[in-house]
Amino acid sequence: MNNNGIFRNRIHPRGSNLMYHLGALIAVTAWGISFINTKILLQLGLSAVEVYVYRFVIAYICVFLICPRPFFSNSIGDEVKFMLCGICGNSIYFIAENTAVNYTLVTNVSLIVTTAPLITAMLIGLIYKGERPSRGFLTGSMIAFIGVAFVIFNSSFVVKVKPFGDMLALLAAVCWAVYSILLRPLNAVYGVWFITRKTFFYGILTSLPFLAVEPHLISLEQLMDPRVLGNLCFLGLVCSLLAYVLWAQSIKRLGVVKAGNYLYISPIVTLFASMLLLHENVSIVGYIGCALILVGVILSEKLSSRGKVSATR
């Protein structure tokens, strides 16, 4: 811990990264399930902005109790980076994604948002010339992306281009890629609890103007409904607090691109969660998509690792 109380990342010995792969898998699993909880809350009368704000307020209170100090980072530059993380990885990402559903098909939004790992890999290649993704990694990523398309179009292959909604979905994907890249320098200096707390704080702060213009907010009585409170607590404690901490740890250890590839698994989780909790049907197309995603993620991991070994010989 440094002078002003910010926990620095520990130096981990070289060895197995299994626990960090598991952490990334748990995070994307939680995010995959979160679509179900969000859908239930929307059906219970909450707006998309309300769902976002309430879940992250719960998460922020908890992370503040765990890491209350210091309040500010080491420099104004770092504070700006944290604000951008809050905007890109929280407020604008979630609001753009949820709003896009109102203007285009859910399948369009789901497919476009899952381009985030590919956008991340391309941005990393542009910013850091020595870290351009290998052909093997890109091959595995493309296979996984095709699998995502199969999963999303599980019940229908209808695609309609609706520019405004599709652009909002693309904005969400770009925001997530920028957020993942911004975590790199911050992870080198600050601990994951501090990063998570700062990200949540700025995410909530920048979402308040959206909440202020909402035409209707649910009452306190509705908010205390066990179904509403239960889903919000799950979203806040598991899908926000736990998932973001695990994601920051995974990026720190595995790297932005490799950890980002796990995002392709999220649609699989959503598919089966929808089948179990919402009783939606899964067709053979959905099962083929799941298989392609798993093959793509495994291939990208194996081929990129092989490429690194070959490059060192």
Side-chain angles (χ1 to χ4, degrees):
M1 187 166 67
N2 62 7
N3 294 336
N4 53 2
I6 300 174
F7 288 95
R8 293 180 180 272
N9 294 327
R10 296 177 180 177
I11 304 298
H12 296 276
R14 291 182 61 86
S16 173
N17 289 328
L18 179 61
M19 63 182 293
Y20 299 97
H21 286 285
L22 182 61
L25 184 59
I26 292 172
V28 298
T29 298
W31 290 332
I33 297 173
S34 72
F35 282 99
I36 308 301
N37 302 94
T38 300
K39 184 173 181 178
I40 292 172
L41 288 170
L42 292 173
Q43 291 173 342
L44 290 173
L46 280 75
S47 69
V49 177
E50 282 183 295
V51 172
Y52 165 74
V53 173
Y54 298 151
R55 70 179 273 190
F56 277 94
V57 165
I58 292 171
Y60 180 77
I61 291 172
C62 293
V63 75
F64 184 82
L65 293 174
I66 296 170
C67 178
R69 290 184 176 83
F71 192 77
F72 294 105
S73 55
N74 290 338
S75 66
I76 295 176
D78 284 352
E79 203 68 28
V80 170
K81 290 175 185 176
F82 280 120
M83 182 176 67
L84 291 174
C85 280
I87 293 171
C88 295
N90 275 233
S91 58
I92 299 300
Y93 171 79
F94 282 101
I95 292 170
E97 180 183 73
N98 293 339
T99 305
V101 176
N102 294 325
Y103 294 96
T104 187
L105 300 178
V106 174
T107 50
N108 290 38
V109 176
S110 300
L111 183 57
I112 294 170
V113 168
T114 50
T115 61
L118 287 176
I119 295 173
T120 303
M122 289 188 291
L123 289 178
I124 287 287
L126 289 173
I127 297 170
Y128 305 98
K129 300 298 183 182
E131 298 184 32
R132 290 176 178 172
S134 65
R135 290 183 179 179
F137 180 88
L138 291 176
T139 299
S141 295
M142 287 305 301
I143 293 173
F145 182 68
I146 293 170
V148 168
F150 273 75
V151 169
I152 291 170
F153 301 131
N154 165 59
S155 59
S156 174
F157 277 94
V158 177
V159 182
K160 294 181 180 179
V161 177
K162 297 188 177 181
F164 183 65
D166 292 343
M167 288 302 295
L168 283 175
L170 182 60
L171 172 63
V174 172
C175 281
W176 187 263
V178 172
Y179 161 72
S180 298
I181 293 171
L182 285 170
L183 281 181
R184 282 177 55 127
L186 295 174
N187 265 327
V189 180
Y190 305 97
V192 294
W193 288 104
F194 182 78
I195 291 173
T196 303
R197 197 195 81 207
K198 296 294 286 184
T199 300
F200 288 179
F201 172 77
Y202 282 114
I204 295 169
L205 185 66
T206 53
S207 68
L208 293 181
F210 295 95
L211 189 64
V213 298
E214 280 292 311
H216 174 73
L217 299 178
I218 65 167
S219 65
L220 181 60
E221 183 180 356
Q222 290 174 296
L223 190 60
M224 291 297 104
D225 183 314
R227 295 173 299 170
V228 173
L229 201 56
N231 280 287
L232 282 175
C233 285
F234 180 80
L235 287 172
L237 299 178
V238 178
C239 303
S240 299
L241 178 59
L242 177 63
Y244 271 77
V245 168
L246 291 175
W247 189 251
Q249 286 279 19
S250 298
I251 284 181
K252 177 179 66 177
R253 180 71 172 189
L254 304 177
V256 174
V257 176
K258 185 176 291 188
N261 227 28
Y262 277 98
L263 290 171
Y264 291 120
I265 295 175
S266 183
I268 296 180
V269 178
T270 304
L271 183 75
F272 285 101
S274 298
M275 180 181 68
L276 294 174
L277 301 176
L278 301 179
H279 308 294
E280 296 180 355
N281 294 325
V282 179
S283 68
I284 186 64
V285 174
Y287 289 117
I288 292 173
C290 293
L292 286 172
I293 291 172
L294 294 176
V295 169
V297 171
I298 294 171
L299 273 179
S300 66
E301 169 69 17
K302 296 296 183 182
L303 293 178
S304 60
S305 299
R306 185 180 300 174
K308 288 181 180 179
V309 172
S310 299
T312 59
R313 289 178 179 173

